[in-house]
Amino acid sequence: MLELFSYGDTGWGDEILMGLATTMKLAVATLPVGMIIGFLIAFAAMSGIRAVRYVGVGYTTIMRGLPEILTLFVVYNGAGLLLNSLIKWWNPEAEGTDFSPFLAGVIALAMVFGAFAAEVIRGAYNSLDKGQIEAAAAVGMTPQQTFWRIKLPQLWRFALPGIGNLWINMLKDTALVSVIALDDLMRMTKVAVGVTKQPFTFYLVACLIYWVLCVLSEMILSRMERHANRGVRRA
Amino acid sequence: MIPMDPSGPILSAIDIRKSFGDVEVLKGISLDAKKHDVISILGASGSGKSTFLRCLNFLETPTSGKVIIHGDEINVQNGQPKMSVPIEDIRKRLGMVFQQFNLWTHRTVLENVMEGLIHVRKKSRGEARSIAENYIERVGLSQRVDAYPGHLSGGQQQRVAIARALAMEPDAILFDEPTSALDPELVGEVLKVMQSLAEEGRTMIVVTHEMAFAREVSSEVVFLHQGKVLEKGTPDEMFATPKSEEFKRFIASM
């Protein structure tokens, strides 16, 4: 039994660890891109300019309505085609290139993450205490200073629980990239099952690994929330 | 900059008008504050006194009127302010203390007071810290420098807010009903601090419901009624011989 998971040619331990590493890399790379998209879309949706507001609200509406896996296919195939036709247009002699499944995964997951994060950020922004923002203006802070020094740290406090949920969802959604041939934890598990014909064992191990990742995330998140809420009196 | 007459006003508001939609809440209010003046603005709720105060540092933009602070002039026509210096330069010369304290909840007492010193006054951290500690001591909260606002009583929070305003060394401090949100037993500690500031010669403009403060501490009392200055004068003459029926009734109701 244990030799199934040994490290080396005879076991699947190394493959599964590699898959786990890919899953982690994917999730960690998606987070900042998704947060940036989330902020941009949130501020677009709250913009005073009507056209910009429509873009923000429209993006969220569309992305929330699409199954993640469809977004992934559209990005992987569509962006690949677009990239190739751009290269061909630039230089008709050039060879086509393969769009990296890792990059497609990051983009697709970040687009979905960003759409949901935008809603969380918008809600948090609307919960900010107007009085504290006025106090910042009254001491002579510029709008930029007020944003970075007063609004953002408090926004973070209100947004953290929602963003934490999205992170855990996204961590699990990384399993979708296994369908575009990215060797993540899910795909390596499937390969192992295919070869060894031991689905129960390997799927159970994958379950445990995803579960441990989520529990670890929750522990870190609750520490972050405690830190963000320091000084706030609990009712 | 217009050359300053040392005995002239450091803050002038001229014919301030403000409408919200069709409702004109300020119908042309003027006010001059000279150095060391303590002006109490009284009036029933809805008289426009808080709105007027907020127009002085442009938290509320008047519909029209003129504000002159230390020689810098802001002229507003049709809700469009024209100013010779950035609005931040005007605001940092006017401290403000709010009814709801409005301390930054993610910062400690010390950090609340240091914030403007570092980022607006551009002081070094060390210098900001010693100035902040000095003013926190001034309001009697040296023991609580590292506390967060959420762990202080309302009276303590308001004293920190006063220290935050003082630390910027403003030309004048605006108080917007500073004791109205406090439990009755906490009002005294805040009024005591305000009274000591007045005795120090700080220029203060105070929107308040505290008749004793208006009567005993201020150098001038202004009574607003329905968006207009109905009466003004020294507290002695105002309270001894109220001229208008409205002010008589207002005093009687307090």
Side-chain angles (χ1 to χ4, degrees):
Chain A
M1 172 76 200
L2 267 180
E3 58 268 26
L4 275 178
F5 293 99
S6 66
Y7 209 84
D9 289 343
T10 53
W12 290 89
D14 48 344
E15 281 81 2
I16 288 187
L17 276 182
M18 295 299 285
L20 173 61
T22 303
T23 292
M24 294 296 294
K25 270 193 268 178
L26 192 62
V28 168
T30 299
L31 183 64
V33 183
M35 284 304 289
I36 290 169
I37 294 177
F39 269 102
L40 290 178
I41 296 301
F43 287 116
M46 292 186 290
S47 163
I49 305 162
R50 187 188 299 218
V52 177
R53 199 161 60 237
Y54 284 169
V55 170
V57 174
Y59 178 88
T60 310
T61 312
I62 292 171
M63 292 310 296
R64 288 208 298 192
L66 291 181
E68 277 96 332
I69 195 151
L70 198 53
T71 308
L72 185 63
F73 284 148
V74 169
V75 170
Y76 184 50
N77 298 312
L81 280 176
L82 188 71
L83 192 67
N84 275 330
S85 54
L86 275 178
I87 291 171
K88 282 269 174 1
W89 172 76
W90 183 255
N91 175 8
E93 310 292 303
E95 294 278 312
T97 166
D98 272 340
F99 190 51
S100 140
F102 184 82
L103 193 58
V106 169
I107 293 174
L109 289 171
M111 281 169 73
V112 175
F113 185 94
F116 287 93
E119 288 297 280
V120 173
I121 291 165
R122 205 158 61 93
Y125 197 89
N126 289 331
S127 329
L128 291 176
D129 174 18
K130 305 286 175 292
Q132 293 183 44
I133 296 165
E134 284 192 343
V139 299
M141 284 198 213
T142 62
Q144 291 76 19
Q145 286 174 324
T146 305
F147 177 78
W148 290 106
R149 308 214 39 91
I150 309 298
K151 289 184 184 172
L152 199 58
Q154 301 207 14
L155 190 76
W156 183 234
R157 174 157 72 84
F158 292 126
L160 196 52
I163 297 290
N165 262 332
L166 292 179
W167 159 259
I168 287 172
N169 270 336
M170 188 260 282
L171 200 58
K172 295 185 294 181
D173 281 349
T174 56
L176 294 173
V177 300
S178 61
V179 300
I180 56 169
L182 186 59
D183 292 334
D184 75 320
L185 176 59
M186 189 68 213
R187 186 169 142 86
M188 294 322 283
T189 306
K190 275 196 271 188
V191 172
V193 168
V195 173
T196 61
K197 309 287 180 231
Q198 302 234 19
F200 188 74
T201 313
F202 280 98
Y203 284 137
L204 192 65
V205 166
C207 280
L208 273 175
I209 294 177
Y210 278 114
W211 182 74
V212 166
L213 286 181
C214 288
V215 169
L216 279 177
S217 299
E218 275 163 25
M219 283 162 61
I220 294 169
L221 279 164
S222 93
R223 285 189 79 117
M224 287 169 76
E225 275 178 45
R226 262 209 309 281
H227 181 73
N229 283 305
R230 68 199 183 283
V232 178
R233 204 194 325 224
R234 300 235 158 40
Chain B
M1 286 279 279
I2 302 160
M4 295 267 311
D5 166 8
S7 65
I10 54 172
L11 169 66
S12 292
I14 300 156
D15 197 27
I16 300 293
R17 290 168 187 274
K18 174 73 183 176
S19 301
F20 291 107
D22 290 338
V23 187
E24 193 175 36
V25 291
L26 302 180
K27 298 168 183 159
I29 298 183
S30 300
L31 180 118
D32 281 331
K34 295 190 294 297
K35 210 168 164 53
H36 312 311
D37 275 356
V38 177
I39 301 178
S40 289
I41 302 180
L42 305 179
S45 59
S47 60
K49 53 197 192 306
S50 281
T51 306
F52 173 67
L53 196 74
R54 292 161 56 82
C55 282
L56 296 178
N57 67 351
F58 288 80
L59 284 183
E60 209 77 73
T61 307
T63 309
S64 70
K66 198 191 272 186
V67 177
I68 306 170
I69 294 163
H70 224 102
D72 284 314
E73 185 178 306
I74 303 176
N75 205 336
V76 191
Q77 290 299 333
N78 299 320
Q80 295 300 316
K82 273 202 199 69
M83 50 191 103
S84 48
V85 292
I87 189 67
E88 289 81 19
D89 280 8
I90 303 285
R91 285 179 178 152
K92 68 185 178 194
R93 290 182 222 157
L94 288 176
M96 183 149 189
V97 175
F98 298 86
Q99 183 175 355
Q100 301 292 341
F101 334 128
N102 294 347
L103 294 178
W104 299 307
T105 49
H106 62 302
R107 300 256 188 264
T108 63
V109 166
L110 185 64
E111 289 165 345
N112 263 278
V113 182
M114 285 171 68
E115 187 72 31
L117 291 169
I118 294 173
H119 296 282
V120 178
R121 290 277 183 224
K122 309 290 179 199
K123 308 262 188 213
S124 70
R125 281 199 83 79
E127 201 184 346
R129 191 188 176 95
S130 74
I131 296 172
E133 282 171 345
N134 184 26
Y135 281 108
I136 293 168
E137 192 188 340
R138 177 79 182 63
V139 297
L141 285 168
S142 293
Q143 307 298 314
R144 307 304 308 269
V145 281
D146 293 321
Y148 284 94
H151 297 135
L152 301 179
S153 73
Q156 290 173 327
Q157 288 190 54
Q158 195 60 300
R159 280 146 65 198
V160 175
I162 292 172
R164 175 172 71 178
L166 279 178
M168 298 293 286
E169 276 147 21
D171 294 337
I173 305 180
L174 314 175
F175 291 83
D176 187 5
E177 302 200 27
T179 56
S180 299
L182 295 175
D183 293 337
E185 74 272 19
L186 302 177
V187 169
E189 61 186 84
V190 172
L191 287 180
K192 226 168 78 190
V193 171
M194 290 172 61
Q195 180 164 6
S196 73
L197 297 180
E199 282 159 6
E200 256 177 39
R202 307 255 175 198
T203 312
M204 298 157 68
I205 301 177
V206 187
V207 167
T208 185
H209 289 290
E210 292 294 327
M211 287 301 134
F213 179 87
R215 195 192 288 247
E216 283 146 35
V217 181
S218 47
S219 55
E220 187 181 346
V221 175
V222 177
F223 176 66
L224 292 194
H225 182 72
Q226 296 180 349
K228 280 190 211 142
V229 177
L230 214 56
E231 278 189 53
K232 65 170 155 185
T234 65
D236 289 346
E237 61 191 39
M238 287 274 290
F239 286 97
T241 52
K243 291 186 207 75
S244 62
E245 274 309 306
E246 285 83 357
F247 189 48
K248 261 183 222 161
R249 241 181 289 134
F250 180 76
I251 303 175
S253 72
M254 288 322 249

